[in-house]
Amino acid sequence: MPLPRPTPEEIVEMLKRSSLRTVVVEGENDALMFRILQEKFAEVPVDFLPAGNKDAVCEIYARRRELKGSKVVFLVDSDLWLFTGRPKGYGDIVATEGYSIENDIIVTAEPSLTALMRDFELRKYTSLIERLSFWFIAAVSKTLAGESVDLKQHPRQLCDELREVFELKSDVRKEIAEVE
């Protein structure tokens, strides 16, 4: 059974007592990703502390005045900030260049991760990216229109939804072809 995640209040109290350089990140996967990079590139010891999600990082950031003397940096995925802009008061939070840290790593990887794929893997990847892009465009449009959309879904979950959408799209194409 996983351990309970510390609350933002508990994280603030930990940071007050820490002498480590600390980067507060959103989730466990983000922390894992940075720890791997840290092992390869960092000469300066840094601790990556997952807060749970972007809201928790922002909540801790809002209390940064309590952390005087602490060496803390806050890092979040840009997510919808790419489209809505960063909310006022969060100017010193480091945000990813792209939608998420995973996107930034894929885009900046040397050699390109796609260059390492076999032909069939590249075709599958390209198809998946195309389908996810259509979903993402619709999700962002709905969000900007004020609708609530769950953007934290796993791609496998989205693929099931996308399969239904594309099958429906295919059926509509067949009907149009029959009418013509």
Side-chain angles (χ1 to χ4, degrees):
M1 184 155 102
L3 295 172
R5 177 178 296 138
T7 66
E9 174 70 30
E10 292 168 331
I11 291 173
V12 168
E13 292 304 317
M14 274 192 298
L15 291 170
K16 285 179 184 179
R17 291 160 179 73
S18 176
S19 61
L20 293 173
R21 290 181 174 101
T22 305
V23 180
V24 179
V25 296
E26 292 183 34
E28 291 290 335
N29 291 337
D30 296 328
L32 176 62
M33 188 79 62
F34 285 111
R35 284 188 188 111
I36 291 168
L37 293 174
Q38 177 189 22
E39 287 174 9
K40 293 195 178 289
F41 303 110
E43 294 179 17
V44 178
V46 176
D47 184 38
F48 292 95
L49 180 61
N53 57 44
K54 185 185 224 168
D55 291 337
V57 174
C58 291
E59 187 178 331
I60 296 163
Y61 175 80
R63 296 180 57 189
R64 68 193 177 283
R65 286 188 175 80
E66 297 176 40
L67 304 174
K68 284 204 188 270
S70 297
K71 299 169 188 159
V72 181
V73 173
F74 301 88
L75 177 72
V76 296
D77 292 336
S78 286
D79 299 329
L80 289 178
W81 287 3
L82 287 172
F83 307 99
T84 62
R86 186 184 302 237
K88 287 186 178 186
Y90 295 103
D92 292 334
I93 290 182
V94 178
T96 56
E97 193 72 24
Y99 184 80
S100 70
I101 188 60
E102 293 82 0
N103 295 126
D104 286 2
I105 289 172
I106 288 172
V107 168
T108 61
E110 288 295 331
S112 167
L113 294 180
T114 57
L116 302 174
M117 294 179 186
R118 294 175 285 195
D119 286 344
F120 78 93
E121 293 169 325
L122 184 58
R123 283 192 303 275
K124 190 174 181 178
Y125 172 80
T126 303
S127 174
L128 178 60
I129 292 299
E130 179 182 307
R131 290 174 180 217
L132 289 173
S133 297
F134 282 117
W135 172 85
F136 185 68
I137 290 166
V140 168
S141 297
K142 288 178 181 180
T143 301
L144 294 176
E147 294 181 44
S148 178
V149 177
D150 180 11
L151 293 172
K152 296 290 184 187
Q153 296 182 56
H154 191 279
R156 284 191 189 112
Q157 182 182 0
L158 293 176
C159 288
D160 291 340
E161 293 175 24
L162 289 168
R163 191 173 298 111
E164 292 173 18
V165 168
F166 276 82
E167 286 172 5
L168 176 63
K169 192 174 177 182
S170 176
D171 290 345
V172 170
R173 282 190 196 141
K174 287 177 190 172
E175 289 177 25
I176 291 171
E178 290 172 4
V179 171
E180 294 175 338

